[in-house]
Amino acid sequence: QVQLVESGGGLVQAGGSLRLSCAASAHFFSSFHMGWFRQAPGKEREFVAVINRSGGSTSYADSVKGRFTISRDNTKNAVYLQMNNLEPEDTAVYYCAMDKNLVFSRRPTNYDYWGQGTQVTVSS
């Protein structure tokens, strides 16, 4: 079975940076697209970024474009989210997810496996 484990969350001041990591136990990790989502209290899960299986294509939510960078290292079965110039509005639990069907989607329903999440809190 697929297991995804996020790490790297924490408390940071506005304008600061944080790097999230997601380690995957899945076989053939490089065969699947990977995405990052976030969920704040009282809100629905929100798309953040997606990267295709080879790492050559990415897509970002408008709210994070220019500030966040998604990347992956298929030799380590890992995907990353570099977050710069953080804002209080970025406060949420961040989840990594796997898209086995290669939809390259912004919708949570198109992702098959999810990590447990890591908390990111940005203070002003």
Side-chain angles (χ1 to χ4, degrees), residues 5-6 9 11 14 18 28 32 35 39 45-46 63-64 69 80 83 86 88 92 99 102-104 107-108 116:
V5 181
E6 303 96 333
L11 176 63
L18 215 54
F28 305 108
F32 311 117
Q39 188 165 21
R45 199 172 301 168
E46 176 189 25
S63 59
V64 307
T69 302
Y80 309 98
M83 305 184 294
L86 284 161
D99 170 17
L102 306 181
V103 180
F104 202 74
R107 306 181 72 179
Q116 85 289 347

Side-chain angles (χ1 to χ4, degrees), residues 7-9 18-22 36 79-81 83 94 118 120:
S7 62
L18 215 54
R19 192 189 196 208
L20 306 183
S21 298
C22 175
W36 284 99
V79 62
Y80 309 98
L81 185 68
M83 305 184 294
Y94 283 71
T118 185
V120 172

Side-chain angles (χ1 to χ4, degrees), residues 58-118:
T58 59
S59 184
Y60 298 90
D62 289 341
S63 59
V64 307
K65 193 174 297 182
R67 300 187 298 121
F68 291 11
T69 302
I70 187 171
S71 62
R72 68 191 297 161
D73 186 344
N74 288 340
T75 68
K76 298 180 179 179
N77 280 19
V79 62
Y80 309 98
L81 185 68
Q82 178 66 46
M83 305 184 294
N84 297 327
N85 195 24
L86 284 161
E87 304 169 352
E89 292 75 19
D90 296 317
T91 295
V93 177
Y94 283 71
Y95 300 89
C96 67
M98 177 176 286
D99 170 17
K100 289 186 65 180
N101 295 314
L102 306 181
V103 180
F104 202 74
S105 176
R106 292 167 172 251
R107 306 181 72 179
T109 53
N110 288 126
Y111 290 79
D112 304 284
Y113 300 99
W114 296 83
Q116 85 289 347
T118 185

